[in-house]
Structure formats: C-alpha cells, structure tokens
Amino acid sequence: MPNNEPSYDFIREIVANDLKTGKHKFIRTRFPPEPNGYLHIGHAKSICLNFGITSQFNGQCNLRFDDTNPSKEEVEYVESIKEDVRWLGFDWGDREYYASDYFDRLYEFAINLIKKGKAYVCSLSAEKIREYRGTLTEPGKDSPYRERSVEENLDLFLRMKAGEFQDGEHVLRAKIDMASSNINMRDPTLYRIKHVPHHRTGNKWCIYPMYDFTHCLSDAIETITHSICTLEFENNRPLYDWVLDTLETECHPQQIEFARLNLNYTVLSKRRLIQLVEEGHVTGWDDPRMPTISGIRRRGYTPESIRNFCDRIGVAKRDSIVDMELLEFSIREDLNRSAHRFMAVLDPLKVVIVNYPEGQVEELEAINNPEDESMGKRMVPFSREIFIERDDFREDPPKKFFRLYPGGEVRLRYAYYITCREVIRDKNTGEIVELRCTYDPETRGGWSKDKRKVKGTIHWVSKAHSVPAQVRLYDRLFTVPNPLDKKDGKDFKDYLNSTSLEVLTHCRVEPDLKKLRPGSNCQFERQGYFCVDMKDSEADLPVFNRTVTLRDSWAKIEKKAKK
RNA sequence: UGGGGCGUCGUCAAGCGGUAAGACACAGGAUUUUGGUUCCUGCAUUCGGAGGUUCGAAUCCUCCCGCCCCAGCCA
C-alpha cells in the first residue's frame, strides 16, 4: 500500500494517537534546561522537538529552568538560554517557570512521602551510601536508618530544612527497594543539604531536591502531557513513575526518551564545552567555532537553517552521529536564496590594466542576488588598478585551470575581459607583486560580441575604491570525526584543530560592504558566506566571519590531481 | 553471565507481514558572467548473524553477536 503521507517520528506518533484516542485533548510539553552552561546545537534539537510538536498539534510548550543545584547554576546562563530559544524562533509566552518556584510544594510532597512511610532520613555518609548501594551485579543493603519512624523522619527533615545540620550529614531518601535490578530504585536520594545560596531563592533554602524528585513533580505541577527527554534517562523512568504514583498526583505525564544529537568533528556536552571556554581553547561560549547556539549565531548561521537541520536529522531512539556536512548544507541552502552577493578579495594581488585610461572610473552594474531578482542591483566602481585573488593567477596553470595565467584571458565579473601580459616580481624575494594586463573595451559588462570563449570568471575590487577588512576563516574545531573516541589514552582536547581559525588582515572588499550591519549575512562571490562579526566589527575596519565555504568543485579536481 | 535500550546505504532516516521512501555525501552529465545555484542520471536483490513460522518476513518467534546507558548527596 503506497503511503504518501509524511511519516511522523515515533514521538509525534504517540502524541497524535493520544489526541485521537482522547487520552489528551491538549498537548503540553516543556523544554527544561539546567542553567549551568550555554545551549548548544543538541539542545536545539530538543527545543525544535518540544516546541515543534506543540505548535503542530496546537498545544503549548513551557520553558522551565531545572535549577535545583545552586552550586553550578548562574543567572548569566538563564539569560543566555532565553536569548537562544527566542533567537531560534520559539515563544513560551508567559510560561517561564523555574523548578525553584516549586520548592515549597516540593517540600510538602516530601513531607507527604515521609508520612506515607515512603521516604526516610538517612544519616549514612556519602561513601557509606555508595557502599550500601551494591553494584551492577550485586544487590544493595538496607541502610540502618531505613526503619526510622515517621515522626523521627519528620523531625529530622524539618531540622534539615531549618539548617541544623552540616552539608552531607543527612539526606532524604525514597524507600523503594535496595535489591532492585535498577540501581536508580535502590532508595535514591531525594534531598541533600547544601548551604549554598541559590540564584533565585537566595538563602531561603539549605536543602535542595534532586532531579528525580523535582522533574516529575514539576511536570505534574505544570500538567505536562508528554515529558520528552534523552535516552540516558530511560533508567530513571521507573523512578519518575514511582514518585508520581506514590504521591498519587492528579497529573501523571508520560516520559518519552529520544536519542540526543551527536555531530562529528565537535563535542556536544556542557561539561566539555565549559572546559574549552575556561581553559581558553576558544575565546568564549560564543566563539564562532563553538557548537553553542551563540557560537553558531555569531558564525552566521540563521535560525531557519538550524530548524531545517533539526527537521532533517529526524527523531529516533538509536544513537547516531550526524554528519557536519548536513548542517553546512542547511545553512548554504538558506543563504543561497537570501544572501546579498559582494566581491571581496581575501588575498589581494595587484593588477594594472595598462590600456585602461588613467584616472577613469566606471560604475558597473552587479546583481545582488541571482536567486532573488527583488534584491536588485548595485553599481561597483572599476578603475585602472584593481586587486584580484592571488589564487586566481597561476604562472604555470595546471590542467583545467581556467582562471588567469600569462597570455591567458579571463572575465572580470561584471566588468571586462582581461589578458595577462606581464608578471612583475619583487627583485629580492621573487614574489609576484603585480600583474600587467590589457583589457578589451568591447567586453564591458563581461560580454563579447564575437562570442569568444572565456571560461573563467574571477572577482575583483578597485584598488582605489575598495576598503580594508579583516576576515576570519573558521574550520572545524577538531581534527577527527569523533574526538571522544579515545584511543591510546587521548583526551578530546588532544584532537583540537590548531588551524581552526585563520585571521586575514589585508583583505580588500567592495565599498558597500562597509554599510553592512553587525550580524548581517552576505556571500563573497566564489568564496563563501560571511557575516559581519557582532562583537569586533568597527566602522573603519569591518570584520567578517566565514560562516561556510561555497561548494568548491575546483578544489576537488585539484585535490584529485594531486593524488 | 544485573537491569534498561538500540542495531535498515558512507551519514541521518522511513518502513508497523505483501516484496527496501527520502535527505546529506559520493559519481557521471547538462545549463551557467559565482568551477556557486539549478537540472537530469546512478548509488542497499538487501535490512547485525543464524535458524524457524508463513504462499510471502526488515517487519512475527528462537538463539547468537555488537553498540549505548545506569553503581552523583549531577541533570
């Protein structure tokens, strides 16, 4: 049976079915980041999933900060997270929640659990608790404090909250089963003492709830219908259900796990990213080489391209490593149809057109975006002395090289055909410093009446009219597809790409490029997509970040020839 | 040799008992004033392996193999 319907991923299938059977009339999800670092492209997958599903099925997605560990969390992170989610194009309305807003209710739930005889205060040290927990193959042992009376537990827990104890003296534990084959069920810790001020609740609390206790109850409080998380929480699902079942909450969301995103040539874990930042391997969370949302944004990626990327990678349960090229495809696709084209010479080589009248300047018409006529045209100044890309000239051209070489003719985009007549070198170094060329006045605009074949077209800028610019060429952060694949004791940082950033300081670009606003995208013809750096660009010296190169089939041919 | 998951093209990923979608990548070719874009064409006789059930299996059953997750008072 041919089926032309676009297929849902397994989560959307569940949601659609719940709607169809009437299990739910309204879908509510949540995106629950812990504010202990910046969001990365892996979070984008989760954001697109959670917000995407609810917009598709007319539901709502809450933004909830899972802020139960004050020793790792900071307001800087909550601000950046909000900015990133918004930038990606999603709106949580007024539903900005914090697990810490539920601390009072969570505390009541804990009291309730104690009263039901389902939780107890354990006074074993952390090390002892670990010992008593058993191992993967051996069952654990009951804590000697497991049978404390409800009254004693209530009293102790109250005093924990009141600050009568030091960190680590007691914890509140669920009373489940120390012999469970699921280690998460061996009387997991629910509350710990931490005399640490919280970024939102200040000094109000010195006991903080653990994830397993907080998350399910926060979901229930917010009447979440589908609690979507990553695979590693699969083992926690029985505990998620146990807490809600035992407390008999009115709402019992369904936890569903999917495989987190992995991308080759980079790392996607906050722990490692924070390491790169703190140890100075990158300039910050928003370094354009970082896979963080802020890094990608500064690199020049568009929200649209990220969303398309997330659609393309799909949602499933199997661990996978997505090819970076898919991300690059997504941004090329978006920028190809939207980016304004310009000419920019990254590594300038001076060309004097000897038969062009000295002092003459022409304004030549150039198309702003061949994919979008509505973006119009612009005038580009042309004169006797211009710059071309050093790499577009070869004294000894390889096969199939159809750019400029001695005696060869090439088209200057939107300008004229020129022929190279003479190569000028530096007397001392031998370096080529200038090319003497002649132009054909009959080819204005780049056309010839005699239909003579000129296969190559190169970009250029007028020496006198172009403006200087700095260009930053970014490459992948790591040299190997999987930096975590630690053979012979190597650390992921051993695979850092030492040439992931190349700064070009002598570039010359079209004068109009000076007018671009920070953050704007554009294409440097024949080279790639670039954006004006949001932090370092200045009116006198614009700074451009290379978002991604254009596909380059010449580079492939050359590479093949070398082999 | 405890438990929970997962194995379909180089990379993602559909497939839900009726005879292997799609995308990226790759390889050819056409068009092109970006060696860009666009457009054609090709790219899994086979679904981790072996048995079995069935007229028919990637889909059901059995066994085996491989990979991931869990022993935080992290999330």
Side-chain angles (χ1 to χ4, degrees), chain A residues 480-505:
Chain A
V480 295
N482 183 6
L484 303 183
D485 191 12
K486 43 193 168 211
K487 317 180 174 94
D488 28 86
K490 286 210 176 178
D491 181 65
F492 75 103
K493 285 177 290 179
D494 295 328
Y495 298 113
L496 244 8
N497 178 5
S498 58
T499 56
S500 57
L501 168 61
E502 190 185 347
V503 181
L504 270 25
T505 53

Side-chain angles (χ1 to χ4, degrees), chain A residues 469-482:
Chain A
Q470 185 188 116
V471 171
R472 298 171 180 175
L473 266 23
Y474 294 102
D475 198 359
R476 42 182 61 139
L477 231 198
F478 293 91
T479 56
V480 295
N482 183 6

Side-chain angles (χ1 to χ4, degrees), chain A residues 392-411:
Chain A
D392 284 338
F393 174 78
R394 296 290 170 83
E395 212 165 10
D396 187 18
K399 272 180 206 154
K400 290 188 185 170
F401 182 85
F402 33 85
R403 274 114 97 151
L404 197 58
Y405 51 89
E409 187 172 44
V410 77
R411 174 188 294 110

